[in-house]
Each structure stands twice: as structure tokens, then as C-alpha cells.
Amino acid sequence: MKTICAILFVLLSYLPVEKNAPISHLDLKKYAGTWYSLYSIPTIFDKGSRETTTKYTLNKDGFYDVLTTYKKPGDEKVYSRSSKMFPSEEGNNGELQAQFIWPIKIDYWIIELADDYSYVVVGHPDHKFLFIMSRSHSLPKKTHDEIVARCKAKGYEVSKLTSQFKG
């Protein structure tokens, strides 16, 4: 039995691990609009929030004005906060930076994006947070499960994912 376990361990260690990296191409205009945060490994700012919706508006200066709305635990009031999102210098890949408080910017990597821009997965170079967002309030279970499996392969602690929308 120990031999079998040792062989399995060696074989599993050679399985490819997906790289945690931003996507290579992002159409800034197509990315603009409303996204529903369905599942997350939240940041300190997002802990406990629910029914989070984020609207990205591409402005004439080439960055996004961002409006996030959400509810707090046990409260039906809708809260909001504004921020900015800056594309990379190349402007066409998934390596962006969020700015909640000037002048501090936080890495915001789009690590997966549906071809039709129906869902997006946002992560961080150090796996600090993860957001699975959609243009609608839900994702098909199969799509969700496949996204979570890929995120796990990229090194995210998917057991920490929380659901934002019930139903």
C-alpha cells in the first residue's frame, strides 16, 4: 500500500498546474458594463457583503470609473462605493489595477474571461482574493464547477469561496 501511495504521489506531482496569470487580450469596451459578483474570496473591504454588483464605465481618459453596490449582513439597505480601475500600459490585457484610495493601487488580474464576456474571473498575483462574476445573477452549475476547478489548479483556496447571491 505504501508503494502504491508513493507512486501516486510521484505521478500527481508531475500533473500540470495552471499558471496564475492575467489573460493576454481584453477588449476594454466589451468589459465595460454591469457585473454581478457571484462567488468570492473577499478582500477586507468585501468581507460579509452580499448581492454585490459592479458597474465599470470606460471614461475618455482610458480608465474605468467603478461603482460598486452591495448589502451588508442583516441589512437590506443598498450601500455603494466608487473607485477607479486602470488598464495596463499596453491597455489590452487582463492586468489591471484597482484604486479605492488615492494613490494606492491594487493588482486586479482578469485570469479568465468567457469569449462572449458573459463571465469573468478576477484574481491577484499572490492569490489574495478571487471573484467569479457574471453578466447575470447566476451561472450554470457545470460552468461554475469548471471555473472553480481551474481556480484551484491555479493555486486559489477555493474552499474559502463565498456565495454572494442566493437562489
Side-chain angles (χ1 to χ4, degrees):
M1 184 66 173
K2 286 182 182 180
T3 304
I4 293 172
C5 288
I7 291 170
L8 283 174
F9 179 77
V10 170
L11 291 175
L12 289 174
S13 67
Y14 286 104
L15 287 177
V17 173
E18 290 190 45
K19 185 177 179 186
N20 182 41
I23 60 171
S24 61
H25 180 75
L26 174 66
D27 182 323
L28 295 174
K29 289 181 182 175
K30 284 174 85 173
Y31 190 75
T34 301
W35 291 95
Y36 298 93
S37 182
L38 303 180
Y39 303 92
S40 68
I41 298 174
T43 68
I44 191 166
F45 300 109
D46 305 304
K47 270 201 189 322
S49 65
R50 60 186 174 86
E51 298 180 38
T52 303
T53 303
T54 306
K55 183 175 182 183
Y56 297 85
T57 303
L58 189 60
N59 66 33
K60 63 180 174 50
D61 296 321
F63 64 87
Y64 294 105
D65 292 311
V66 182
L67 178 64
T68 303
T69 60
Y70 59 96
K71 293 180 182 177
K72 294 180 180 179
D75 188 350
E76 289 305 309
K77 180 180 173 187
V78 177
Y79 296 86
S80 67
R81 68 175 167 261
S82 297
S83 60
K84 296 177 182 178
M85 187 73 60
F86 297 92
S88 68
E89 301 235 351
E90 295 80 32
N92 65 348
N93 67 27
E95 190 172 343
L96 296 101
Q97 290 191 316
Q99 185 177 65
F100 298 98
I101 302 168
W102 185 86
I104 301 166
K105 293 181 182 174
I106 299 166
D107 289 321
Y108 175 105
W109 281 7
I110 297 174
I111 60 173
E112 187 173 327
L113 180 63
D115 292 337
D116 64 357
Y117 285 62
S118 61
Y119 74 82
V120 65
V121 182
V122 175
H124 185 272
D126 297 327
H127 305 91
K128 291 181 179 180
F129 57 79
L130 182 70
F131 295 92
I132 300 172
M133 301 187 299
S134 174
R135 296 290 189 177
S136 66
H137 289 90
S138 64
L139 281 174
K141 181 171 177 13
K142 181 180 183 216
T143 304
H144 165 267
D145 293 347
E146 290 170 350
I147 291 170
V148 170
R150 288 189 295 269
C151 290
K152 184 176 183 177
K154 291 176 183 175
Y156 288 91
E157 291 185 58
V158 296
S159 63
K160 293 183 177 182
L161 280 171
T162 61
S163 177
Q164 290 277 308
F165 284 88
K166 305 294 181 203

